[in-house]
Amino acid sequence: MIYSRYMKGSLGTYHIETFDDFRNVAQLYQYSRVILTALQIDLFTAVGSRSWSMKALAGRLKVSPRGLEILCRNLAALGLLVKNGRAYRNSPLSTAELNRKSPAYRAEYLDLIQSHWDDYAQLTASVRSGKPLEEDEPDSSKWRRRFTWAMHQRSREQAQQVARVLNLKEAKTLLDLGGGPGTYAMAFLSKKPSLRATVADRPAALRVAREIASTHPARARLSYVPLDFMKDPLPSPYDIVWLSNVIHIYSAEENLALFRKIATVLSPGGRIIIHDSFLTDPQGLYPIDTTAFALAMLLYTDTGNTYPAREVIQWLEQAGYSDVKMLSGLRSRKDGENGLIQGRMKARRRARRSLPK
């Protein structure tokens, strides 16, 4: 893998000791730009399932044969194309998930990745101001719909993995708070036939969730509540409140307030389970992908950040949860979630009745 030469240690660090190391890491943008250019000209769709000469493929794409050959050589070095003599064909990944004609194509998620290139070019301004980018368009229903589909396309495999490792034996009801497309809720329903789940999010997100669930075998056990969970009352009660990819959007103070709010809607002995990208080393630097994800929070949110797991555990304890711990068994992913943190509400004791005198 092109990056592995610069990676050291289990925490995923780009360890820079020499100027050569510095230059190699600083220029990794070249490979990102190669991939984004291929997506912009829709190269993987044009290649499809056959092999192409550069002349024929350049004619189909209406680009320069020289430019295309250099681009394709780089894509082959990255493993996204396969070179055979002077001809190129798609890799299995490119055929299935980067080809617009494939059922597995991740359209909205790939569009989201492409939009980040121009956004990150404005990082210096956000560092200077401490404020997110000025939005070119408001948080419209159209944008929310595309973003929700992108999150489903990003999370569908991860949801299956989480469902395999999560203990749902005692749970009868689950609230997927800020659940967007409901990807995780559906995975949990598939695992446990007696579970009932509710997805709570903004109306535009829930419209996508309903579309995704429309053919799911467990759709009858899934309900929806439109709300802004930071402002509106939460539905209750629930045995589990599932909070995935939420806390990095908010400040420490906002998250503590949200944890306290969630505590009021949990059943006695119920659990909050937080799924997010946590910093796990003593200095709060690694995994480096989690530290890098904080840049996105600077660009796109007013108060968001990424947080050490130990701090999140402390917030839960402050909010009144017991038996707070990080759960094991979840395989981390390079672009996001690497952990599960659980807290439990203490079962409420029944008041003892006084015996009549």
Side-chain angles (χ1 to χ4, degrees):
M1 185 177 178
I2 195 72
Y3 299 107
S4 62
R5 180 178 173 186
Y6 311 115
M7 297 290 285
K8 297 181 181 179
S10 60
L11 290 174
T13 65
Y14 290 84
H15 196 67
I16 298 175
E17 294 178 345
T18 68
F19 191 80
D20 278 350
D21 293 336
F22 168 81
R23 180 191 63 216
N24 290 332
V25 173
Q27 292 181 341
L28 287 174
Y29 69 86
Q30 295 171 335
Y31 303 109
S32 299
R33 188 61 258 174
V34 162
I35 292 170
L36 295 179
T37 295
L39 292 173
Q40 286 178 340
I41 65 173
D42 214 7
L43 183 144
F44 303 111
T45 303
V47 172
S49 58
R50 54 171 283 195
S51 293
W52 290 81
S53 69
M54 284 298 93
K55 182 178 180 180
L57 186 58
R60 174 162 185 168
L61 290 169
K62 296 181 173 56
V63 298
S64 152
R66 172 175 174 264
L68 184 62
E69 191 280 327
I70 292 173
L71 180 70
C72 287
R73 187 154 30 107
N74 276 274
L75 291 166
L78 289 168
L80 292 173
L81 292 179
V82 178
K83 187 173 187 288
N84 184 12
R86 295 186 177 182
Y88 290 86
R89 59 181 171 84
N90 274 329
S91 71
L93 170 67
S94 301
T95 300
E97 299 186 55
L98 305 181
N99 175 3
R100 195 176 297 275
K101 295 180 180 178
S102 166
Y105 181 64
R106 306 190 189 219
E108 285 78 12
Y109 188 48
L110 293 176
D111 287 345
L112 184 66
I113 290 174
Q114 291 178 71
S115 73
H116 287 172
W117 181 267
D118 290 336
D119 292 345
Y120 271 75
Q122 302 178 66
L123 178 62
T124 304
S126 283
V127 168
R128 285 176 171 151
S129 68
K131 297 179 180 179
L133 299 173
E134 292 185 7
E135 294 290 345
D136 294 330
E137 58 178 326
D139 184 7
S140 63
S141 295
K142 181 179 179 180
W143 182 91
R144 180 60 53 183
R145 175 181 174 80
R146 293 178 61 193
F147 180 80
T148 303
W149 270 109
M151 292 303 97
H152 174 64
Q153 293 163 0
R154 177 185 182 276
S155 301
R156 58 196 185 200
E157 291 85 9
Q158 179 81 341
Q160 298 301 320
Q161 185 201 346
V162 170
R164 284 193 293 269
V165 304
L166 204 61
N167 179 5
L168 299 173
K169 289 181 180 179
E170 299 175 0
K172 295 179 181 179
T173 56
L174 179 144
L175 175 63
D176 188 353
L177 194 59
T183 310
Y184 288 94
M186 286 185 289
F188 300 148
L189 291 172
S190 294
K191 179 181 180 179
K192 186 174 181 184
S194 62
L195 185 69
R196 301 191 72 85
T198 301
V199 181
D201 210 320
R202 301 181 187 188
L206 295 184
R207 283 193 284 273
V208 174
R210 286 187 172 93
E211 288 180 38
I212 293 170
S214 63
T215 57
H216 196 278
R219 61 186 178 276
R221 292 184 282 123
L222 187 61
S223 58
Y224 310 89
V225 176
L227 53 72
D228 179 338
F229 59 78
M230 296 301 284
K231 298 177 182 178
D232 300 331
L234 305 182
S236 66
Y238 288 92
D239 298 326
I240 294 177
V241 173
W242 170 255
L243 204 62
S244 179
N245 288 300
V246 168
I247 67 168
H248 58 246
I249 303 171
Y250 301 104
S251 68
E253 294 77 15
E254 289 169 316
N255 283 317
L256 179 57
L258 179 59
F259 295 168
R260 287 174 171 152
K261 188 175 184 178
I262 289 170
T264 67
V265 303
L266 280 171
S267 305
R271 292 176 287 162
I272 181 175
I273 302 176
I274 302 168
H275 178 231
D276 220 290
S277 187
F278 303 108
L279 297 162
T280 56
D281 70 304
Q283 296 297 322
L285 295 175
Y286 304 112
I288 197 169
D289 303 284
T290 300
T291 291
F293 187 47
L295 298 172
M297 295 304 98
L298 176 61
L299 288 170
Y300 304 125
T301 72
D302 292 317
T303 61
N305 209 332
T306 52
Y307 302 103
R310 65 178 183 275
E311 287 188 11
V312 178
I313 289 171
Q314 289 170 358
W315 301 341
L316 287 169
E317 291 172 342
Q318 282 181 257
Y321 296 87
S322 62
D323 191 26
V324 182
K325 59 187 177 183
M326 198 158 189
L327 303 179
S328 60
L330 180 65
R331 186 177 70 250
S332 64
R333 54 190 293 164
K334 269 193 66 61
D335 70 337
E337 311 88 352
N338 63 351
L340 296 163
I341 295 178
Q342 174 181 282
R344 190 180 292 273
M345 286 306 299
K346 295 177 182 178
R348 301 179 184 91
R349 294 181 179 179
R350 292 182 179 178
R352 296 180 62 183
R353 294 182 179 178
S354 301
L355 293 174
K357 295 182 180 179

